[in-house]
């Protein structure tokens, strides 16, 4: 190997330098073949043109001053410039495979632990909801409970939420009527044989969960929404109260469409219809008693055919021609009753006669006004008011 710019040859027995290569170099010994790697350079490091590093002789020639053949390149047989290939050990393939298996086992363990945690959280939520449902059919919720049990995953159950304002200072009569129907529906589900943990009925009052109303950008009440087990509620998950009304039967049909859970509605006994029916029978019986000597109209086929016809359209979007006349007659009867009541209160005639006039006027007002309200309820299912006939 060269040691000076004059290219003096070092003795063959001189020990090689132990200075390491600062870059990847190629050293080739006869008969050696190995992958390229770092090496110990045996002597001063040469540059590309034959000089020593740091000697300042970038173009120094080897001994004899003659440039080798090939345009300044050393001959392939010149052992002074042959480079060494030093083998570099590689990690065994088995150790890489073992490391990969360990990483996979660690990843699977983490995934399994996370899944187990989700299952425990879901079981805890379902157990808590079932406990609340055993106490009352409709679960009252505030903002924290709503976010935990209705919004936050995991969840494998459907939740029906009624957003309302039942406090007296809110003066929401429609909210109270809708709440009654909602309670009927929830009780029908709670005490049915098909009751399960797949559906829960909840309620959020504005005074207890105003933050929930703000979160959902909701500014009206009552509102019914369905929150499915997965994903966010869609447009159809909001009940169309204005078009359909809030009757328990209509709510049950909507829930069946959204959740495939069919609820048969059971209503508590309602004696107002019985009272109205008894009043109607009394009026008909009185009319028949007054006409007891002339009952031929009972056999009139035309009269029975007219009575059998439907004169009230079932939708608020349409109206029969005869329906307008019926409403007019009902209003006239109510007005007549009010006139009789006023006459009984202001006249100075016989006391017995005034009592009879008062009873007749009161009967006209009560019966026909109740019948008028029942027509409104049949046409507009969300109409909240009733008197006797429902």
């Amino acid at each position: 190997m060269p040691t000076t710019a004059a290219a003096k040859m070092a003795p063959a027995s001189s020990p090689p330098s132990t200075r390491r290569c600062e870059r990847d170099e190629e050293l080739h010994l006869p008969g050696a073949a190995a992958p390229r790697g770092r090496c110990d350079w045996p002597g001063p490091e040469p540059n590309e043109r034959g000089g020593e590093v740091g000697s300042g002789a970038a173009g120094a020639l080897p001994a004899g001053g003659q440039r080798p053949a090939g345009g300044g390149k050393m001959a392939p047989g010149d052992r002074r410039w042959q480079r060494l290939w030093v083998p570099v050990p590689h990690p065994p393939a088995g150790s890489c495979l073992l490391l990969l298996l360990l990483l996979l086992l660690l990843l699977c363990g983490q995934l399994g632990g996370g899944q187990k945690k989700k299952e425990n959280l879901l079981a805890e939520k379902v157990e808590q909801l079932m406990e609340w449902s055993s106490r009352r059919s409709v679960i009252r919720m505030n903002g924290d409970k709503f976010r935990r049990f209705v919004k936050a995953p995991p969840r494998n159950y459907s939740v029906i939420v009624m957003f309302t304002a039942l406090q007296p200072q809110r003066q929401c009569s429609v909210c109270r009527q809708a709440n009654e129907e909602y309670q009927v529906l929830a009780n029908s589900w709670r005490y049915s044989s098909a009751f399960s943990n797949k559906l829960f009925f909840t309620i959020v009052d504005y005074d207890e969960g105003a933050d929930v109303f703000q979160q959902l950008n909701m500014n009206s009440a009552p509102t019914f929404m369905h929150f499915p087990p997965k994903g966010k509620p869609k447009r159809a998950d909001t009940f169309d109260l204005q078009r359909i009304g809030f009757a328990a039967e209509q709510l049950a049909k909507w829930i069946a469409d959204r959740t495939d859970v069919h609820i048969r509605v059971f209503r508590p006994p309602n004696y107002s219809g019985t009272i109205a029916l008894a009043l109607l029978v009394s009026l008909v019986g009185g009319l028949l008693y007054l006409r007891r000597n002339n009952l031929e109209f009972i056999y009139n086929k035309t009269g029975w055919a007219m009575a059998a016809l439907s004169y009230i359209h079932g939708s608020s979007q349409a109206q029969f021609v005869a329906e307008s006349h019926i409403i007019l007659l009902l209003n006239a009867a109510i007005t007549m009753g009010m006139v009789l009541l006023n006459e009984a209160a202001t006249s100075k005639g016989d006391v017995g006669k005034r009592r009879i006039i008062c009873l007749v006027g009161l009967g006209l007002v009560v019966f026909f006004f109740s019948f008028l309200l029942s027509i409104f309820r049949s046409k507009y299912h969300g109409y909240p008011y009733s008197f006797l006939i429902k």
Side-chain angles (χ1 to χ4, degrees):
M1 299 294 288
T3 58
T4 63
K8 294 180 178 180
M9 298 297 294
S13 61
S14 60
S17 173
T18 59
R19 184 169 56 85
R20 293 185 62 84
C21 300
E22 299 299 331
R23 62 188 176 191
D24 291 342
E25 297 288 351
E26 294 180 355
L27 297 180
H28 185 74
L29 295 178
R36 178 184 300 181
R38 298 190 63 85
C39 63
D40 289 334
W41 187 270
E45 182 179 355
N47 58 21
E48 296 179 355
R49 301 296 301 273
E52 297 178 7
V53 176
S55 64
L61 298 176
Q66 298 296 327
R67 186 179 300 275
K73 298 182 179 179
M74 289 294 147
D78 195 340
R79 296 187 60 180
R80 295 172 300 167
W81 299 103
Q82 290 181 353
R83 298 183 177 181
L84 176 64
W85 290 85
V86 180
V88 177
H90 293 280
S95 62
C96 294
L97 181 60
L98 180 60
L99 181 60
L100 180 60
L101 290 176
L102 291 176
L103 291 176
L104 290 176
L105 290 176
L106 181 61
L107 181 60
C108 292
Q110 292 179 351
L111 293 177
Q115 183 67 23
K116 187 66 176 179
K117 185 177 180 181
K118 288 183 179 180
E119 292 177 357
N120 293 336
L121 179 59
L122 177 60
E124 180 183 352
K125 293 169 66 174
V126 172
E127 182 180 0
Q128 183 64 70
L129 289 172
M130 290 295 291
E131 181 182 353
W132 287 337
S133 296
S134 63
R135 298 176 184 176
R136 56 176 62 185
S137 301
V138 178
I139 304 172
R140 299 188 69 90
M141 288 193 170
N142 53 20
D144 295 335
K145 291 181 179 179
F146 176 81
R147 283 183 286 271
R148 180 185 176 188
F149 293 94
V150 179
K151 294 287 289 183
R155 193 175 69 250
N156 64 349
Y157 50 85
S158 297
V159 183
I160 305 298
V161 184
M162 176 184 178
F163 300 93
T164 185
L166 296 175
Q167 297 300 323
Q169 64 269 20
R170 301 299 176 185
Q171 298 181 356
C172 182
S173 59
V174 180
C175 295
R176 291 192 293 271
Q177 295 286 337
N179 182 59
E180 293 178 1
E181 296 293 316
Y182 192 58
Q183 293 288 342
V184 169
L185 178 62
N187 289 329
S188 300
W189 167 245
R190 173 64 184 83
Y191 297 105
S192 67
S193 59
F195 176 74
S196 66
N197 57 4
K198 298 301 181 183
L199 178 65
F200 296 98
F201 289 86
T202 65
I203 186 171
V204 177
D205 193 279
Y206 179 79
D207 294 282
E208 299 175 2
D211 54 338
V212 178
F213 280 75
Q214 295 176 0
Q215 180 182 354
L216 299 177
N217 296 323
M218 192 175 300
N219 53 12
S220 62
T223 300
F224 298 93
M225 288 188 64
H226 165 243
F227 290 85
K230 296 181 181 179
K232 297 181 179 180
K234 301 178 181 179
R235 184 175 181 180
D237 289 316
T238 300
F239 184 69
D240 192 353
L241 184 71
Q242 300 296 329
R243 185 177 63 87
I244 305 177
F246 48 72
E249 291 78 9
Q250 299 296 332
L251 287 170
K253 183 178 179 181
W254 169 67
I255 292 174
D257 293 338
R258 305 310 304 167
T259 64
D260 292 333
V261 175
H262 298 272
I263 304 175
R264 183 180 178 184
V265 178
F266 295 94
R267 291 186 175 274
N270 183 11
Y271 299 103
S272 61
T274 304
I275 296 174
L277 180 61
L279 182 59
L280 178 60
V281 171
S282 300
L283 292 176
V284 173
L287 179 62
L288 293 177
Y289 179 77
L290 295 176
R291 299 283 306 268
R292 61 185 181 275
N293 296 325
N294 186 10
L295 299 178
E296 295 180 358
F297 68 94
I298 297 178
Y299 303 99
N300 191 336
K301 296 181 180 180
T302 304
W304 285 108
M306 295 180 63
L309 292 177
S310 175
Y311 297 100
I312 307 297
H313 196 277
S315 173
S316 60
Q317 306 297 325
Q319 180 176 343
F320 294 133
V321 175
E323 185 176 340
S324 302
H325 298 87
I326 293 174
I327 299 299
L328 179 62
L329 293 176
L330 292 176
N331 287 318
I334 295 171
T335 303
M336 179 62 67
M338 296 298 296
V339 170
L340 292 177
L341 288 175
N342 182 69
E343 183 67 19
T346 57
S347 64
K348 298 181 180 180
D350 184 51
V351 176
K353 185 178 180 180
R354 291 170 59 186
R355 288 178 179 176
I356 295 175
I357 295 175
C358 179
L359 291 176
V360 173
L362 183 62
L364 290 174
V365 172
V366 170
F367 178 77
F368 289 106
F369 186 70
S370 177
F371 187 56
L372 182 63
L373 291 181
S374 67
I375 292 177
F376 288 161
R377 287 175 64 89
S378 65
K379 292 182 64 66
Y380 178 62
H381 300 281
Y383 193 76
Y385 304 106
S386 64
F387 194 72
L388 287 176
I389 304 176
K390 289 191 177 181

